[in-house]
Amino acid sequence: PDMYPGNCWAFKGSLGYLVVRLSMKVYPTAFTMEHIPKTLSPSGNISSAPRNFSVYGLDDEYQEGGTLLGQYVYDQGGEPLQMFPVMV
């Protein structure tokens, strides 16, 4: 409902999927992921932050596979906003 810590969109469990449908075909060069910093976390940690994630390019939202654009690790000790270049 807002941008305050604890009111984010969360995945249930330790595995989740997200599909973003764009209005036109794009060729991305990088992706960014942002999580609140530890200093703003109500619990003082960000253990719920995503860690390992993969990005795939799909032709449509129902496609089973896709083109792997990269596998990444979000550094919980790093900056809240992190950029990851396309690997393929």
Side-chain angles (χ1 to χ4, degrees):
D2 53 49
M3 297 294 290
Y4 293 104
N7 291 336
C8 59
W9 176 58
F11 289 101
K12 183 177 183 179
S14 62
L15 181 65
Y17 300 91
L18 169 69
V19 175
V20 177
R21 184 176 182 194
L22 303 175
S23 62
M24 67 178 70
K25 191 173 194 171
V26 299
Y27 295 93
T29 57
F31 306 97
T32 58
M33 184 178 296
E34 183 175 23
H35 197 275
I36 63 168
K38 290 179 184 180
T39 55
L40 295 180
S41 173
S43 64
N45 70 61
I46 56 170
S47 59
S48 65
R51 181 152 167 77
N52 299 310
F53 66 100
S54 302
V55 178
Y56 291 85
L58 304 174
D59 292 322
D60 64 67
E61 61 193 288
Y62 304 106
Q63 187 177 346
E64 289 287 325
T67 302
L68 178 65
L69 301 177
Q71 293 179 310
Y72 309 99
V73 177
Y74 182 85
D75 178 10
Q76 294 183 8
E79 292 295 317
L81 180 66
Q82 298 176 24
M83 185 169 67
F84 305 92
V86 170
M87 297 177 146
V88 177

